[in-house]
Each structure stands twice: as C-alpha cells, then as structure tokens.
Amino acid sequence: MTGPLVVRTREELRAATEGTIALVPTMGALHDGHVQLMKHARPLAQTLVVSIFVNPTQFAPGEDFDAYPRTFDADLERCAEAGVDIVFAPTVDVMYPDGLDATVSVDAGPLGQILEGAQRPTHFRGVLTVVAKLFGLVGPDVAVFGEKDYQQLTLIRLMARELCLGVEVVGCPTVREADGLAMSSRNRYLEADERQLAGAINAALRAGAASGREGGTAVLAAARAVLDEHGITPDYLELTDPDLAEPVPGREARLLVAARVGRPRLLDNIALNLGGN
Ligand code: PAF
C-alpha cells in the first residue's frame, strides 16, 4: 500500500494534482467516518485530496483548539487505506497569510445563528471562511462532507451555490458505532461510563423519528423522554425541514440534537417523515 503524497503549499498542490479533483476537508484525528467520506469521494474524480488542518478560527476562546487530537502519522495510514492521492496539510501561515484577524471572512447569514450557531456564535464564520480558502487553494470539482454535522453541510452547500464557487458539495451518511453513537474525533474524550451513556443521544433521535407520523410535538416529546431517562440535558433538540427552516407537516424533516456528555459536546441528527397534511 503506497501512502499519499503530503504537500503543504499551493505551489506543491498545483504541481501534484491533475485532472478532476475531489476534496475531503478534515481536521485530522481521522476515524472510520472519515474513511467512508474518502471512499465515497474516490470514484468522483481523478485526483483525491484530503486536507488536514485544525482551523483556529472555528474555535472560540476557551474551546478545545489546543487539546484537539492531532494524530498525523495515523491519519496518513487511514488515507492510504482509502486510496487518497494527496494529503494537503498547510500551516496557519498558508491558510491565513494576513493573520487570523484578516479583514475579510464569510458571513454564514441567519442559518449560521441558529442551533450550533446560537451556542457558538463565531463558529460557522470560521468554518465557512476556511472551507472557502480550501476551495480556492485546492480547486476541487467536488467536495465531500459528513451529514453528522448537518448544519455545517447545509451552510457549505449554500455558500458554494450562493457564492458561485463552482464546487459540487456532496453529503455522506453518518457512520455509527454499534449502539448508534455517531463517529466523531471528539468521542475519544469520553470516559468509559460516559461512552455508555452517549449511545442514548442517537436512541433519542430514533425514538423521535419513530413518532414522526404523530407530528412534531410527539417527535420532540419522544426524543426528550429518552434523554431525560438518561439524565442528558441537550443544548438543543430541534425539528426543522431539510433546509433548516420550519418543519412542514406531511413532509420530510430533520431532528437535530447537541448535548454535552462529560467533556465533549456530541452532535447528531436524523431524517424523518412528519405526519399531518
Ligand atoms: O468538519 C470539520 O472537520 C471541519 O469543520 C472542516 C469542514 C474540515 C473545516 O475546518
């Protein structure tokens, strides 16, 4: 198994890429969920690039930027497993040549202020800004993101379309542990007893989805009952339509949750059909 080529600058990238390009942006600490994104992306273009960059601007002061797991050698092995051609691992100077307080950034708009954005007001500005920069540096035809961060995926899709970036944004289903816990780099922060409890987050979503036919109030009540039973108080538990607007009876909807279990905040979401007409 030959490993991917590691490049750190735009010039090295340009010299190494050829033909159509698929990009999987990551912050490293790669797990099976990331490997699925890479495998999904592999047939979509001639060159598959994975970026590994822990982006400082999407962390607020006091969040886990310094502690965020950095596992570069193991990450390269995961990339080799998935047939990645190039790993783009830029420095902060390459990504932010004018410094972290540069004057131009991407405003996520009103959908960036709800759900995660209400808890982390500067988060999506940081995410969209770095993704826009990665699109500019890598020049992908297609970029693949996980549905686990559903609001992030929705906002990146909107950004690509509304700013005419010419990148097709593809979402991939969440990869889960046996008890339903969504895979995440932050799951490694969970202590053994917290890990056991964490499965309740997805169980709550499944209970909510199973009540879909009874309407939105029943969905939220069923999900909250499972969280209550396990002593989990969510930061939010909300039902939206697939575009994060108000849910519409009789249509598809999304149930989204975030909750702290021990040290990490865990995010998950599920699609469901809402009853009513
Ligand atoms: O989902 C992530 O890992 C990050 O938010 C992303 C999209 C790589 C931007 O830093």
Side-chain angles (χ1 to χ4, degrees):
M1 189 162 61
T2 54
L5 178 71
V6 178
V7 301
R8 300 202 180 266
T9 63
R10 177 202 290 270
E11 294 69 34
E12 287 172 0
L13 254 176
R14 287 287 141 88
T17 46
E18 52 185 7
T20 53
I21 300 174
L23 171 66
V24 180
T26 81
M27 298 205 298
L30 302 180
H31 50 68
D32 287 351
H34 291 114
V35 173
Q36 280 312 311
L37 299 182
M38 297 172 204
K39 288 188 173 164
H40 193 91
R42 182 57 282 182
L44 301 182
Q46 286 154 304
T47 301
L48 173 55
V49 179
V50 167
S51 61
I52 298 180
F53 179 67
V54 186
N55 172 35
T57 65
Q58 69 189 74
F59 293 79
E63 291 186 353
D64 60 344
F65 173 71
D66 290 330
Y68 197 84
R70 287 154 170 94
T71 57
F72 193 67
D73 292 341
D75 291 349
L76 291 185
E77 283 174 29
R78 304 310 311 257
C79 290
E81 211 180 291
V84 171
D85 299 304
I86 298 171
V87 167
F88 177 46
T91 58
V92 171
D93 287 347
V94 168
M95 293 306 295
Y96 292 92
D98 293 335
L100 296 178
D101 295 325
T103 48
V104 175
S105 59
V106 181
D107 184 340
L111 288 186
Q113 297 306 313
I114 60 172
L115 301 162
E116 273 305 283
Q119 308 285 322
R120 307 176 71 193
T122 57
H123 177 65
F124 287 117
R125 178 179 293 279
V127 170
L128 294 191
T129 301
V130 85
V131 171
K133 285 165 179 273
L134 287 167
F135 285 1
L137 287 161
V138 178
D141 298 278
V142 56
V144 178
F145 297 84
E147 280 186 2
K148 191 200 66 97
D149 296 307
Y150 190 78
Q151 187 177 11
Q152 168 175 284
L153 171 63
T154 304
L155 287 169
I156 291 170
R157 270 208 179 105
L158 273 176
M159 175 180 76
R161 194 174 70 226
E162 294 188 0
L163 299 186
C164 309
L165 298 182
V167 181
E168 184 193 350
V169 174
V170 173
C172 264
T174 303
V175 179
R176 301 182 179 283
E177 305 288 355
D179 65 350
L181 175 66
M183 288 195 186
S184 161
S185 304
R186 290 187 170 101
N187 290 354
R188 65 189 78 198
Y189 297 151
L190 292 165
E191 303 291 343
D193 55 331
E194 296 162 356
R195 170 63 194 83
Q196 284 232 308
L197 197 59
I201 290 186
N202 184 247
L205 293 182
R206 282 184 275 124
S211 299
R213 274 207 230 127
E214 296 159 46
T217 307
V219 167
L220 291 169
R224 191 167 287 272
V226 176
L227 295 175
D228 285 351
E229 195 185 312
H230 291 84
I232 298 174
T233 306
D235 287 345
Y236 58 81
L237 172 69
E238 286 189 37
L239 191 60
T240 70
D241 84 347
D243 298 323
L244 302 181
E246 283 297 305
V248 181
R251 299 257 182 91
E252 195 186 319
R254 276 274 156 179
L255 179 61
L256 303 102
V257 66
R260 199 173 283 282
V261 176
R263 189 168 151 217
R265 278 182 82 246
L266 303 177
L267 274 60
D268 203 352
N269 66 86
I270 196 168
L272 59 104
N273 291 311
L274 212 50
N277 42 40

